[in-house]
Amino acid sequence: MPRLFVRRPSPQLADGELTHLDRVPVDPELALEQWHGYVDVFRSRGWEIVEIVPADDQPDGVFVEDAVVIFGELAVLCRAGAPSRRGEIESVRAGVRAYGIESVEIVEPGTLDGGDVLKVGRTVYVGASSRTNAAGIGQLREVLASRGWEVREIPVTKVLHLKSGVTALPDGTVVGFEPLVDDPSLFPVFAGVPEEHGTAVVVLDESTVLMSSDAPATAEEHRFRGLDVVTVDVSEFEKLEGCVTCLSVRVRD
């Protein structure tokens, strides 16, 4: 059974870090409602939902993807690029280890945010962003080298994380909104999408993707490709540079 690690949003969500967007009002109650709707998509498809211990003093704690990346049977626990977010890791570490998953950690001076890590087959694209540095990428490359993963560094200057600009469809096609992508030619197969919030997809299975309801034209393009598309409203998280990938860590058997 596939497993989903999530953490409910903090009441302080509106105070989350911002890098490329201006701050606008965020409704914590609506965010919680949207989070439940997001989690219910996975639950209805048979995913086991694992809730990480709440971290109400961590405004960005809901973006659990940034804290840990899963590579098969290995969990890489990240060291956040934003010092204000480093308090999130302790409870994520405990949640991962409670399930007996082998883990390693990125350590100082390295920084690595999970939102900068995109896996396509056995290739790992890692964004060199304001949150992920060369030391962090180097540590990840060393950890994965003996496990058959190839790490490729990708420049990220226009968005917060690599996966704020690109994600991948089930067939490995990398998709993104071109004005937000530094260099699309770095990906073997790239397809532009027509909307900013159409950049992010979560693969539910080999024929189904989850994406934001704020990208209807992109959803239609994916349906034209033959994919089933499930949409959810994540507007309150998008105001904080979040997206559908940020809200969970997916573990597949």
Side-chain angles (χ1 to χ4, degrees):
M1 176 186 296
R3 184 179 305 145
L4 193 78
F5 287 95
V6 292
R7 174 164 30 213
R8 65 170 172 79
S10 164
Q12 300 179 40
L13 177 68
D15 297 326
E17 292 277 350
L18 282 172
T19 302
H20 293 273
L21 297 180
D22 294 328
R23 193 170 299 278
V24 296
V26 172
D27 184 338
E29 292 184 4
L30 178 56
L32 181 59
E33 180 182 325
Q34 292 177 347
W35 180 82
H36 280 295
Y38 173 89
V39 172
D40 284 345
V41 169
F42 293 88
R43 182 179 286 112
S44 69
R45 284 163 173 76
W47 290 63
E48 177 189 358
I49 308 302
V50 180
E51 289 199 37
I52 300 295
V53 173
D56 288 351
D57 61 336
Q58 299 289 325
D60 288 303
V62 68
F63 302 122
V64 68
E65 177 186 54
D66 289 326
V68 59
V69 188
I70 304 294
F71 297 92
E73 298 178 351
L74 177 71
V76 176
L77 295 160
C78 301
R79 182 170 182 266
S84 65
R85 297 195 62 187
R86 290 179 187 157
E88 299 170 24
I89 190 62
E90 183 176 351
S91 52
V92 173
R93 181 191 298 116
V96 168
R97 290 180 175 172
Y99 274 80
I101 301 173
E102 179 187 359
S103 64
V104 297
E105 297 198 31
I106 301 299
V107 297
E108 191 176 1
T111 62
L112 178 75
D113 276 15
D116 275 318
V117 180
L118 175 64
K119 295 172 287 183
V120 182
R122 301 296 290 186
T123 300
V124 183
Y125 298 100
V126 185
S129 71
S130 63
R131 301 290 179 87
T132 295
N133 65 18
I137 296 172
Q139 289 178 35
L140 183 66
R141 180 177 285 114
E142 183 176 354
V143 165
L144 297 180
S146 63
R147 296 174 180 262
W149 298 84
E150 177 190 0
V151 172
R152 297 185 186 178
E153 183 174 326
I154 303 292
V156 175
T157 64
K158 300 178 180 181
V159 288
L160 176 61
H161 291 129
L162 176 64
K163 289 167 73 175
S164 305
V166 296
T167 52
L169 299 178
D171 66 0
T173 298
V174 174
V175 293
F177 184 56
E178 288 199 54
L180 301 182
V181 183
D182 283 68
D183 187 355
S185 70
L186 294 176
F187 306 102
V189 183
F190 177 86
V193 299
E195 297 151 313
E196 179 176 348
H197 289 153
T199 60
V201 300
V202 173
V203 175
L204 296 177
D205 58 47
E206 289 306 305
S207 62
T208 310
V209 296
L210 172 68
M211 60 178 296
S212 169
S213 59
D214 194 42
T218 305
E220 282 306 305
E221 287 193 356
H222 293 335
R223 292 185 180 107
F224 185 77
R225 290 172 174 269
L227 292 170
D228 292 326
V229 179
V230 179
T231 63
V232 290
D233 185 0
V234 288
S235 63
E236 301 312 290
F237 304 106
E238 288 168 340
K239 293 174 182 177
L240 293 164
E241 299 176 299
C243 62
V244 291
T245 69
C246 306
L247 296 172
S248 63
V249 174
R250 284 77 60 190
V251 184
R252 295 176 173 85
D253 295 332

